[in-house]
Amino acid sequence: MKKTILLSHGGGGEEMNKLINDTIFRAFDNEILRECNDSAILPNFGGELAFTTDSYVVTPIFFSGGDIGKIAVCGTINDLCMVGAKPLFISVGFIIEEGLEFAEFERILASIADTAKQCGVKIVCGDTKVVPHGKCDKIFINTSGIGQILAPNIKAKNIKIGDKILLSGDVGRHGAVILAARDELSLESELKSDCKPLNGVVGELLASGVKVRAMRDATRGGLSAVLNEFAEISGNEILVFEEKIALSDEVVGVCELLGFEPYELANEGTFVAVVANGDEEKALEVLRKFDKNAQIIGEVTGTAKSQNRVIIQNVYGSGRFLELPKGELLPRIC
Amino acid sequence: MKKTILLSHGGGGEEMNKLINDTIFRAFDNEILRECNDSAILPNFGGELAFTTDSYVVTPIFFSGGDIGKIAVCGTINDLCMVGAKPLFISVGFIIEEGLEFAEFERILASIADTAKQCGVKIVCGDTKVVPHGKCDKIFINTSGIGQILAPNIKAKNIKIGDKILLSGDVGRHGAVILAARDELSLESELKSDCKPLNGVVGELLASGVKVRAMRDATRGGLSAVLNEFAEISGNEILVFEEKIALSDEVVGVCELLGFEPYELANEGTFVAVVANGDEEKALEVLRKFDKNAQIIGEVTGTAKSQNRVIIQNVYGSGRFLELPKGELLPRIC
């Protein structure tokens, strides 16, 4: 019989201690975690802090290009990067359904540990709850993160007319992978989620001297949501050029089959950066080192009719509004 | 028809924005949250930081003396207090089952906001996921917290032979309330969960000059789990006196009816403090200001046979081992 997670693994007694000490601590081991206090004690690293949280409920928990563990670490690391912070510490909270295969849990732990290690981030505190069969779906993970702000004042409010908009790669792959997996589409292609940490590219972008106004990773709601938030928060109109937005053939195929708009599909390792006019080529050079699909996709415009909206122009020069997504979209995408 | 949470409330589009802006931000409003960045930006407050996380899956979500919102804030605030930190900032992550009544969600939000306000803690970042009906149970909440360490070096490792052990109140009330609610026991009594924030009493204890070695709130696994962890981590034997451990008649009644050990029942606002020999009366005086049931319950002993274990002695002088709880205990207690 396969070893599974039991209710007693979350009970606060001997079995939970054993799971935490023998399995979780072994995977995430570091000197802060090993102290076993009610809270982790972190050194004072000076300057402003960035603090973020996200819960992950993605289904399926293993997908092409990633798994719920990898996405949980990348998502929180990326949220710290987006405000100009260097990710340092993360917490991991598990809610596990009774009966989850132990081997699956260990695979997720290894994925979390690998991703954190790759980013130089320590997992310093955590929590494990087990709920009866049928009261959650396999596993939900919360990660919260703390980072040190390296470049202050990166926020959507600072976006100005004339700024240029860059996109770090092609869009829609994570959403398309999850859609394809749930519909059991057998794609001949090698469609993979873009799920990845952005600390490398963002660190280099900030170090390059480019004047970065704002960054946001295009997760739930996709590129459309990010551009609309930027327009809304900054009070400007944004113009993007459709032919500049990279899409893989596989994403286009899934969208045509299932009737989705690729700009609304979630991404998990692709971000939008707004930089000062004149700095866009330098920024693009950095982004291209990490992804050849990076592009300058548009600019912040300020015509008299400006109404905090996003216009997307096709190759023939005709424009339409790119609206904030509405409706159910795709539940449990991340 | 009653207004409920829909899948679209978690989709990343217009409906989610509306829920977050009109309902959640309104309840938790502060200047950091209002910035709407991917991460909250926190000022540098100097010194070491405490960082902790917990997920809450308690059922029922409303119970005598509290609710899942109150417990989510108290639990994280208390974990920060237990390492000598002043709680400053918390994150709140919701996983909501499609169909949760909107009014229930608003009641939970109000409870979170009230508890945080009462403790002088700001809610600075959050996340909302909605999963289809049947994929979680009403609502799960994760809170993570950041505090400023005021009294360094409070940890179980520092516990020494001769130290005295104090308990801040009577034990088992939270566990008994949840047990009684699930078994639909109609208790004539006014049994209430002890769910409450400990920042007041801990702040005063630290300011009193008492030499505090370690503190731990007796949540899952109850008093037994805390004492066993202290014995294990410090490598000492702990002796406690049964008649010094306060129990309400209601808790004794529930335990007798359902066959539970009160020392293994969860608490959500009761903690164990280990203080230097000679400081126990001063510490007791502070604890009694907040709860008349506070007691000095025992001491750290170091006989030759010392084996990292906990001995509980009854009023007739005969002792037994108080073991780390085993088995399922009580799932979804917090």
Side-chain angles (χ1 to χ4, degrees):
Chain A
M1 221 179 89
K2 277 180 182 157
K3 194 176 167 195
T4 61
I5 296 285
L6 308 171
L7 281 176
S8 61
H9 283 123
E14 195 170 293
E15 295 84 349
M16 187 173 93
N17 278 19
K18 206 170 134 50
L19 176 73
I20 290 174
N21 291 322
D22 295 355
T23 307
I24 300 179
F25 277 20
R26 186 167 300 174
F28 297 165
D29 188 54
N30 64 66
E31 69 290 354
I32 299 173
L33 193 63
R34 233 178 288 134
E35 288 267 344
C36 296
N37 294 307
D38 274 344
S39 298
I41 312 293
L42 311 179
N44 176 21
F45 45 83
E48 288 179 316
L49 315 182
F51 179 36
T52 190
T53 193
D54 263 307
S55 297
Y56 297 85
V57 297
V58 64
T59 185
I61 57 175
F62 300 101
F63 51 82
S64 173
D67 59 71
I68 192 169
K70 183 181 179 188
I71 206 174
V73 178
C74 290
T76 285
I77 282 177
N78 293 349
D79 277 348
L80 294 172
C81 291
M82 293 299 105
V83 297
K86 179 182 177 183
L88 294 175
F89 304 107
I90 63 171
S91 65
V92 179
F94 297 107
I95 300 173
I96 309 174
E97 184 185 17
E98 176 190 23
L100 178 74
E101 273 184 38
F102 212 86
E104 288 192 316
F105 184 53
E106 288 185 305
R107 205 174 137 196
I108 292 165
L109 287 177
S111 177
I112 291 172
D114 286 350
T115 311
K117 193 175 173 190
Q118 181 193 335
C119 300
V121 164
K122 280 184 181 151
I123 298 163
V124 292
C125 51
D127 176 52
T128 304
K129 295 288 191 308
V130 181
V131 299
H133 184 71
K135 297 300 181 186
C136 85
D137 190 11
K138 292 196 174 90
I139 186 168
F140 299 153
I141 302 178
N142 176 283
T143 52
S144 299
I146 294 179
Q148 179 178 25
I149 302 273
L150 296 182
N153 215 20
I154 292 185
K155 44 184 81 163
K157 266 204 232 175
N158 298 335
I159 293 173
K160 289 176 179 53
I161 293 169
D163 287 349
K164 294 292 188 283
I165 297 164
L166 291 98
L167 183 58
S168 71
D170 61 312
V171 293
R173 276 196 281 134
H174 180 71
V177 160
I178 299 297
L179 277 169
R182 290 204 212 146
D183 276 32
E184 295 175 357
L185 294 184
S186 64
L187 298 162
E188 295 163 56
S189 62
E190 293 220 340
L191 180 60
K192 274 199 165 63
S193 167
D194 62 322
C195 179
K196 64 177 176 291
L198 293 169
N199 58 319
V201 57
V202 170
E204 203 157 317
L205 185 64
L206 296 177
S208 72
V210 164
K211 176 100 199 100
V212 179
R213 306 275 200 219
M215 295 184 281
R216 195 154 293 194
D217 52 340
T219 57
R220 276 184 291 179
L223 178 64
S224 294
V226 171
L227 294 176
N228 274 284
E229 279 171 40
F230 279 171
E232 181 67 33
I233 296 172
S234 73
N236 286 307
E237 189 169 276
I238 284 175
L239 174 68
V240 293
F241 302 98
E242 195 147 25
E243 82 273 15
K244 295 289 186 186
I245 302 169
L247 291 171
S248 68
D249 293 343
E250 293 85 353
V251 168
V252 173
V254 170
C255 283
E256 280 175 0
L257 264 171
L258 302 175
F260 276 84
E261 158 87 90
Y263 312 130
E264 296 189 353
L265 288 189
N267 308 275
E268 288 295 334
T270 305
F271 71 107
V272 181
V274 182
V275 306
N277 187 13
D279 280 3
E280 64 273 18
E281 290 296 338
K282 197 169 170 186
L284 184 61
E285 201 178 299
V286 175
L287 298 190
R288 286 254 169 103
K289 280 199 221 173
F290 292 81
D291 191 331
K292 63 176 176 32
N293 290 316
Q295 282 282 11
I296 301 162
I297 63 164
E299 60 193 30
V300 181
T301 57
T303 58
K305 61 180 165 50
S306 175
Q307 284 172 37
N308 311 354
R309 60 195 180 180
V310 180
I311 294 169
I312 184 164
Q313 202 172 84
N314 68 17
V315 70
Y316 309 107
S318 77
R320 62 180 172 99
F321 296 125
L322 192 66
E323 307 269 7
L324 188 63
K326 277 197 193 74
E328 291 196 8
L329 297 167
L330 192 54
R332 304 187 60 194
I333 191 76
C334 60
Chain B
M1 222 180 86
K2 279 180 181 156
K3 194 176 167 194
T4 60
I5 297 286
L6 307 171
L7 281 176
S8 60
H9 284 123
E14 195 170 293
E15 296 84 351
M16 187 173 93
N17 278 18
K18 206 169 135 51
L19 176 74
I20 290 174
N21 291 321
D22 295 356
T23 307
I24 300 179
F25 278 20
R26 186 168 298 174
F28 298 164
D29 188 54
N30 64 65
E31 70 290 354
I32 299 173
L33 193 62
R34 232 177 289 134
E35 287 266 345
C36 297
N37 294 308
D38 274 343
S39 298
I41 313 293
L42 312 179
N44 176 21
F45 45 83
E48 289 179 315
L49 316 181
F51 179 36
T52 190
T53 193
D54 262 307
S55 297
Y56 297 86
V57 298
V58 64
T59 186
I61 57 175
F62 300 101
F63 51 83
S64 173
D67 59 70
I68 193 170
K70 183 180 178 188
I71 207 174
V73 178
C74 290
T76 286
I77 282 178
N78 293 347
D79 277 347
L80 293 171
C81 291
M82 293 300 105
V83 296
K86 180 182 176 182
L88 294 175
F89 303 107
I90 63 171
S91 65
V92 179
F94 298 107
I95 299 172
I96 309 175
E97 185 185 16
E98 176 191 23
L100 177 73
E101 274 184 34
F102 211 86
E104 289 193 314
F105 183 53
E106 288 185 304
R107 207 174 135 196
I108 292 165
L109 288 178
S111 177
I112 291 172
D114 286 351
T115 311
K117 194 175 173 187
Q118 180 193 335
C119 300
V121 163
K122 280 184 182 151
I123 298 163
V124 292
C125 51
D127 176 53
T128 304
K129 296 289 191 308
V130 181
V131 298
H133 183 70
K135 298 299 182 186
C136 84
D137 191 11
K138 292 195 174 92
I139 185 167
F140 299 153
I141 303 178
N142 175 282
T143 52
S144 299
I146 294 179
Q148 180 178 24
I149 301 273
L150 297 181
N153 215 20
I154 292 185
K155 44 186 78 162
K157 265 203 231 175
N158 298 335
I159 293 173
K160 290 176 178 53
I161 293 169
D163 286 349
K164 294 292 189 283
I165 298 163
L166 290 98
L167 184 59
S168 72
D170 61 312
V171 294
R173 277 196 281 132
H174 180 71
V177 160
I178 299 298
L179 277 170
R182 290 204 212 147
D183 274 32
E184 295 175 358
L185 294 184
S186 63
L187 298 163
E188 295 162 56
S189 62
E190 293 219 341
L191 181 61
K192 274 199 164 65
S193 167
D194 62 321
C195 179
K196 64 177 176 293
L198 293 169
N199 58 319
V201 56
V202 170
E204 204 156 315
L205 185 63
L206 296 176
S208 72
V210 164
K211 176 98 198 102
V212 178
R213 306 274 200 220
M215 296 184 281
R216 195 153 294 193
D217 52 340
T219 57
R220 275 184 292 179
L223 178 64
S224 294
V226 172
L227 294 176
N228 275 285
E229 278 172 39
F230 280 172
E232 181 67 33
I233 295 172
S234 72
N236 286 307
E237 189 169 276
I238 284 174
L239 174 67
V240 294
F241 302 98
E242 196 147 24
E243 82 273 15
K244 295 291 187 185
I245 302 169
L247 292 171
S248 68
D249 293 344
E250 293 85 354
V251 167
V252 173
V254 170
C255 283
E256 281 175 359
L257 264 170
L258 302 176
F260 276 84
E261 159 87 90
Y263 312 131
E264 295 189 355
L265 289 188
N267 308 274
E268 288 295 334
T270 305
F271 72 107
V272 180
V274 183
V275 305
N277 187 13
D279 280 4
E280 63 272 19
E281 290 297 338
K282 197 167 170 188
L284 184 61
E285 203 178 296
V286 175
L287 298 190
R288 286 253 168 104
K289 281 200 221 172
F290 291 82
D291 191 332
K292 64 175 174 35
N293 289 317
Q295 281 282 11
I296 301 161
I297 62 163
E299 61 193 29
V300 181
T301 57
T303 58
K305 61 181 165 51
S306 175
Q307 286 172 38
N308 310 355
R309 60 196 180 179
V310 180
I311 295 169
I312 184 163
Q313 202 172 83
N314 68 17
V315 70
Y316 309 107
S318 78
R320 62 180 172 100
F321 295 126
L322 192 65
E323 307 269 7
L324 189 63
K326 277 197 193 75
E328 291 197 6
L329 297 168
L330 193 54
R332 302 188 62 194
I333 191 77
C334 62

